Amino acid sequence: MTPFSERVRLSLRETLLDAAAELLAEHGFAGLRMVDVAASAGVSRQTVYNEFGNKSALVDAVALRTVSEFLDGGEELWRTTTTVADGLHALVEYIVRHGRENRLVAAVLGGARAEDLLPLLTTRAGPVLRPAIDHAGRNLAQRVPTLPPHHTALLAETIVRLAVSHMMLPGGTPAEAADAVCAVVLPAIEAYS
């Protein structure tokens, strides 16, 4: 059982991350102030610094928590589907839909104030994309054990990058985005099934 003090610290951390995510969606990185995060969470500014160290670390923590939400939802979809095709389709559709519905992601993609966070999905996307690519790779390897490891890695990266691209530049519905990704990726997977 987790000690009480640890549960309190985790609860405080979640409260600070919630506050920071809301403020980031509203003001972007440049407009985020630690004092505002503290006020929104009902704590001192020093408490925010004690927990995260600096603004960049706080923003990274918000980004990683957001990625975790995507991964948790994706994991549930992989578990509840029976075929690779169904799992892949559900996963891509979820990523695109959830990305469009998530307030912070939507602000990054369409809000002028949060535009300075766009590198977290483009030029500085490693910490965001790597866990998603690893997650997709593990699920592909479990579902298609005959797929060579280097193909698994390449296909996992392709799936994630295409899904993120469809999320960032929508060209249709989430289901249509999933159809497009599946049309590209499934033939390569089925060649090893």
Side-chain angles (χ1 to χ4, degrees), residues 23-183:
L23 291 166
L24 280 167
E26 192 173 324
H27 303 290
F29 182 84
L32 180 69
R33 298 179 334 143
M34 299 296 257
V35 68
D36 295 334
V37 174
S40 181
V43 299
S44 72
R45 181 175 59 145
Q46 188 58 48
T47 300
V48 181
Y49 280 104
N50 289 347
E51 188 64 35
F52 295 101
N54 60 47
K55 183 165 87 168
S56 291
L58 173 60
V59 171
D60 288 347
V62 170
L64 290 175
R65 185 180 73 159
T66 302
V67 169
S68 291
E69 292 170 7
F70 278 85
L71 295 179
D72 291 347
E75 186 63 35
E76 179 64 25
L77 292 169
W78 276 109
R79 270 196 309 266
T80 59
T81 56
T82 56
T83 68
V84 173
D86 289 344
L88 178 59
H89 195 280
L91 175 67
V92 173
E93 188 172 352
Y94 170 76
I95 289 171
V96 173
R97 183 178 1 85
H98 188 61
R100 293 178 187 174
E101 294 171 353
N102 180 287
R103 184 168 188 264
L104 180 57
V105 174
V108 169
L109 298 177
R113 290 189 178 153
E115 194 173 69
D116 59 358
L117 294 170
L118 197 54
L120 291 173
L121 292 174
T122 57
T123 57
R124 289 185 41 233
V128 170
L129 293 183
R130 181 50 44 205
I133 291 167
D134 292 345
H135 175 266
R138 281 191 305 275
N139 280 300
L140 276 177
Q142 288 173 352
R143 290 278 179 103
V144 190
T146 55
L147 196 61
H150 62 282
H151 281 96
T152 301
L154 178 62
L155 288 170
E157 185 161 350
T158 301
I159 291 164
V160 171
R161 288 184 182 274
L162 286 173
V164 169
S165 179
H166 280 281
M167 179 184 69
M168 292 177 63
L169 298 167
T173 67
E176 290 168 335
D179 290 343
V181 173
C182 286

